[in-house]
Amino acid sequence: MNENLINGQWLAGASTIQSWNPSDTRELVGEYAAADAAQMQQAVAAARAAFGRWQHTTTQMRSDFLQRVANQMMAQKDSLGLLVSREAGKTLAEGLGEVVRAAQIFQFFAGECLRYGGESLPSVRPDIGVQISRHALGVVSLITPWNFPIAIPAWKIAPALAFGNTVVLKPSEYTPGVAHALFRILDEQGLLPGVANLVNGSGKHAAQGLLSGVDAVSFTGSVHVGQSIAQTAMGEMIRLQLEMGGKNPLVVLDDADLDVAVECALNGAFFSAGQRCTASSRLIVTERIHDRFVDALTARMRAMVVGNSLDKATQIGPVINQSQFDKIQHYLDLGKREGAELVEGGTPVEADTPGYFVRPALFTGSHNAMRINQEEIFGPVASVVKVADYNEALATANDTRFGLSAGICTTSLRAANHFRLHVRSGLAMVNLPTAGLDYHVPFGGTRASSYGPREQGRYAVDFYTSTKTAYIAY
């Protein structure tokens, strides 16, 4: 049984979690300690006790530690990538790519913690100087999802530690093994006791154990859970960073390069089995290119290989579990009842192993007010909405409560520039999939998609530190 890490010690939990391979539901990936609320509070207390020591370590010491972690992750990238594929259902290429990205994030913040300082400004009054410095917040609770089980913990843990905070991570109960492997590396590379603590367990216990006695919470997950966390955290005056859902539009204009548009839609909507908050779930297509686009996209969809994530030929692996599989089938039925036409996919796939496999699905004849176009499905399902022109396409793209990522396929520089400036989203893509991001630039959305300062890149310092302004008379 794999234990939790609290205050530098590997400890059994109040119960256990079993992790199963969604590509082969007969395979037990591992059994992991599950913390209850009391043990999570124990981890918070350990982080609090360690904060003073970690906060006052040199930036060089913190940089060296993060660099060692990055190097070790790269040394173990093949085994870690295989574990990501086994536990999260990602293809081998996706699993390996995610581990490499996580290592790059640690490496980036190994450098960033050496240069995040403040400012020195003259006062508007004579003989006074102004010094603006940045300081660690304290203890940060990190709550992460299953769809990027090593990259998302990395882009929360690395900046938190780089800027002098201590952390408690509660990963998804569906992917405890990947988080456990990451913390084994942290521990082996000289992690000071209590600086970073791992508590696998349920979301219910996290709500009870990780939202008290901390200074900040960084959460990635559903809107419903994010709102619940916000209500509790605001009552405690806890700083918040919430990354939640998306219903991301990909606009395809009449002048688009058809091959580029199809590739953007195929990648954005269906890769990673559509289980990305940046997935292109609404394909907004102008009428003159509509039929050609649908024909070309469905042809490509039919050629996609769906199957066991460990098969090198697989392009789309399983969805994470039975609950997610059933949710997708519910929305497929709902879309047909709403009047959309399911022109491709949606059927379960029989593979050599039992798993949660479903063919990518495409609806046509949909309109934007349908629930399939307003609610996040989080699976390989996309809907085509036909529009007359660019103006209607932009209005339709913005007609959502979400605002994470948005894309446009066009050869018009004018349309592309207007779109990136006027689409209501935190991310805007031109002739690229709505999913697929760099680690050194800010990530986040608007409206129901995000709340609080941005994640990733040098902008992460805005969440993980506070500023102090000092006035000094000469």
Side-chain angles (χ1 to χ4, degrees):
M1 195 265 294
N2 299 285
E3 298 167 313
N4 289 320
L5 182 64
I6 300 175
N7 200 28
Q9 296 183 338
W10 292 96
L11 302 175
S15 59
T16 59
I17 296 173
Q18 290 184 328
S19 175
W20 297 86
N21 182 349
S23 283
D24 185 348
T25 55
R26 302 166 301 183
E27 182 193 0
L28 179 66
V29 176
E31 191 167 3
Y32 300 87
D36 58 11
Q39 196 172 45
M40 290 183 185
Q41 274 289 290
Q42 180 185 349
V44 169
R48 178 65 64 196
F51 172 59
R53 182 182 179 192
W54 182 250
Q55 178 191 24
H56 292 110
T57 55
T58 66
T59 54
Q60 187 64 59
M61 179 179 173
R62 299 201 295 268
S63 176
D64 290 345
F65 171 71
L66 295 176
Q67 186 62 59
R68 291 197 302 272
V69 171
N71 293 344
Q72 190 59 31
M73 291 177 73
M74 288 299 293
Q76 297 183 29
K77 66 180 186 297
D78 292 330
S79 60
L80 288 172
L82 179 61
L83 178 59
V84 171
S85 295
R86 289 174 61 218
E87 191 166 57
K90 291 176 179 268
T91 65
L92 287 170
E94 288 173 331
L96 178 61
E98 185 179 336
V99 172
V100 171
R101 172 57 54 88
Q104 291 168 335
I105 291 166
F106 273 95
Q107 184 175 37
F108 175 84
F109 283 105
E112 202 64 15
C113 71
L114 297 172
R115 54 176 173 261
Y116 70 92
E119 294 180 89
S120 178
L121 298 173
S123 172
V124 296
R125 295 171 287 168
D127 300 324
I128 296 175
V130 180
Q131 295 287 334
I132 304 168
S133 54
R134 287 190 176 272
H135 302 268
L137 296 177
V139 179
V140 186
S141 290
L142 309 175
I143 303 173
T144 57
W146 45 262
N147 61 324
F148 286 91
I150 196 165
I152 292 179
W155 79 50
K156 294 181 189 295
I157 294 170
L161 298 187
F163 304 137
N165 302 282
T166 56
V167 302
V168 180
L169 173 73
K170 204 296 286 185
S172 169
E173 51 266 50
Y174 302 135
T175 51
V178 176
H180 184 272
L182 173 58
F183 270 74
R184 282 288 180 190
I185 291 175
L186 291 169
D187 190 34
E188 291 164 0
Q189 296 309 309
L191 180 71
L192 296 178
V195 170
N197 304 272
L198 170 67
V199 286
N200 276 304
S202 71
K204 174 184 176 181
H205 288 145
Q208 298 169 343
L210 297 182
L211 299 182
S212 178
V214 301
D215 300 288
V217 176
S218 180
F219 165 81
T220 300
S222 71
V223 175
H224 172 73
V225 175
Q227 289 173 333
S228 176
I229 288 172
Q231 290 172 356
T232 301
M234 288 179 179
E236 298 279 340
M237 300 298 289
I238 295 170
R239 182 177 289 196
L240 276 174
Q241 181 182 66
L242 306 176
E243 291 299 339
M244 299 171 287
K247 198 65 186 176
N248 309 293
L250 177 69
V251 169
V252 180
L253 299 184
D254 289 338
D255 64 2
D257 181 310
L258 183 61
D259 290 338
V260 169
V262 168
E263 287 303 316
C264 287
L266 195 75
N267 180 308
F270 305 124
F271 281 18
S272 297
Q275 298 173 127
R276 299 183 287 190
C277 56
T278 53
S280 312
S281 49
R282 294 184 297 145
L283 308 177
I284 302 168
V285 185
T286 49
E287 52 193 7
R288 282 195 299 164
I289 200 175
H290 175 275
D291 292 352
R292 289 187 294 129
F293 172 81
V294 170
D295 289 345
L297 179 58
T298 52
R300 288 297 312 279
M301 290 171 65
R302 289 172 188 141
M304 297 294 287
V305 179
V306 180
N308 192 307
S309 61
L310 303 188
D311 186 334
K312 291 183 179 180
T314 294
Q315 294 169 290
I316 298 176
V319 297
I320 189 66
N321 54 29
Q322 186 67 53
S323 176
Q324 194 66 21
F325 183 89
D326 293 343
K327 179 183 176 183
I328 291 165
Q329 297 304 314
H330 165 75
Y331 274 102
L332 293 173
D333 292 340
L334 175 63
K336 288 182 280 189
R337 293 199 306 270
E338 288 184 307
E341 182 182 0
L342 183 62
V343 295
E344 177 59 31
T347 54
V349 174
E350 293 293 331
D352 293 336
T353 53
Y356 307 113
F357 307 110
V358 59
R359 288 215 64 82
L362 185 69
F363 283 108
T364 60
S366 74
H367 59 78
N368 202 55
M370 290 179 174
R371 286 177 59 189
I372 57 170
N373 286 322
Q374 291 296 321
E375 299 174 11
E376 188 175 39
I377 301 173
F378 219 66
V381 181
S383 304
V384 179
V385 180
K386 184 192 292 188
V387 295
D389 53 24
Y390 169 75
N391 289 334
E392 186 180 357
L394 177 61
T396 302
N398 285 333
D399 182 17
T400 173
R401 68 173 178 145
F402 297 106
L404 183 53
S405 186
I408 187 169
C409 293
T410 180
T411 54
S412 166
L413 180 60
R414 181 177 182 180
N417 198 49
H418 188 275
F419 182 83
R420 74 170 182 85
L421 291 173
H422 292 88
V423 70
R424 295 184 65 193
S425 62
L427 306 166
M429 314 292 188
V430 177
N431 294 319
L432 289 166
T434 57
L437 309 165
D438 292 347
Y439 59 85
H440 68 302
V441 293
F443 171 82
T446 63
R447 296 177 282 175
S449 289
S450 299
Y451 182 88
R454 292 291 190 245
E455 295 197 275
Q456 300 204 66
R458 63 183 178 86
Y459 292 84
V461 75
D462 292 332
F463 176 71
Y464 289 104
T465 66
S466 61
T467 58
K468 179 182 290 184
T469 304
Y471 294 86
I472 305 166
Y474 299 136

